[in-house]
Amino acid sequence: MAKDKVVIDSTPVTPYVIFDAERGLFEIKGRSSPEVSINFYDPIYQYLDGYDVSDTAGDFVANFTLEYFNTSSTKCLLGILKRLSNIQKRGQNVVINWYYDEDDDDVLEIGEDLSYFVNLEFNFHPIDVDDQDMDFIF
């Protein structure tokens, strides 16, 4: 079983991540451009693979709020989504919230593209970053 709660602080090239098994919550925020993305994302894969769906009642919610991610990070994000799809296959509904700067069509389009590869409910939420506290969002 995965740890009950894992927090990974952001760096200039890696995002903030929280995985809270008890609440059925996964969040990733910020920038993702590590030189070797799999080194950052592999522990996250392990947490999600070890998640026991019987630990949480209700939906498993995954919030993605990324301002930038490189190509190798995109592949790793797909790896996360596939693991979330496996959680759903094991019996827990998974909801994906994809937040993006309303002026950033690229992040929206990549989210839409990724949604085609997994059978999960995606909710796309535009954010007016000029009206938001950037530390909260990214």
Side-chain angles (χ1 to χ4, degrees):
M1 180 177 153
K3 294 180 182 180
D4 289 333
K5 187 171 184 180
V6 177
V7 176
I8 302 170
D9 289 326
S10 65
T11 71
V13 296
T14 59
Y16 169 83
V17 176
I18 185 167
F19 172 71
D20 188 337
E22 186 177 314
R23 292 177 48 207
L25 177 67
F26 173 81
E27 291 188 344
I28 184 166
K29 298 177 183 180
R31 299 178 60 82
S32 183
S33 59
E35 193 169 314
V36 182
S37 294
I38 192 65
N39 291 345
F40 176 78
Y41 284 95
D42 190 55
I44 297 168
Y45 292 169
Q46 292 176 30
Y47 300 136
L48 292 170
D49 288 341
Y51 175 69
D52 184 350
V53 298
S54 66
D55 284 350
T56 309
D59 293 341
F60 187 98
V61 177
N63 298 317
F64 292 78
T65 311
L66 295 162
E67 65 176 302
Y68 173 79
F69 41 95
N70 61 13
T71 303
S72 63
S73 292
T74 302
K75 183 177 177 181
C76 291
L77 292 173
L78 180 58
I80 288 172
L81 291 167
K82 286 181 177 180
R83 282 159 175 83
L84 293 171
S85 181
N86 287 338
I87 289 171
Q88 183 157 293
K89 288 176 187 172
R90 294 193 318 256
Q92 186 170 15
N93 187 53
V94 175
V95 177
I96 307 295
N97 292 308
W98 188 270
Y99 296 92
Y100 64 96
D101 178 344
E102 66 184 2
D103 295 325
D104 191 342
D105 293 336
D106 292 336
V107 172
L108 171 60
E109 288 175 13
I110 293 170
E112 291 171 338
D113 290 346
L114 290 171
S115 73
Y116 291 116
F117 291 103
V118 292
N119 186 25
L120 296 171
E121 176 186 339
F122 267 69
N123 301 302
F124 294 97
H125 303 281
I127 300 169
D128 182 354
V129 295
D130 294 331
D131 290 341
Q132 300 291 328
D133 175 2
M134 292 301 289
D135 290 334
F136 170 73
I137 296 172
F138 299 117

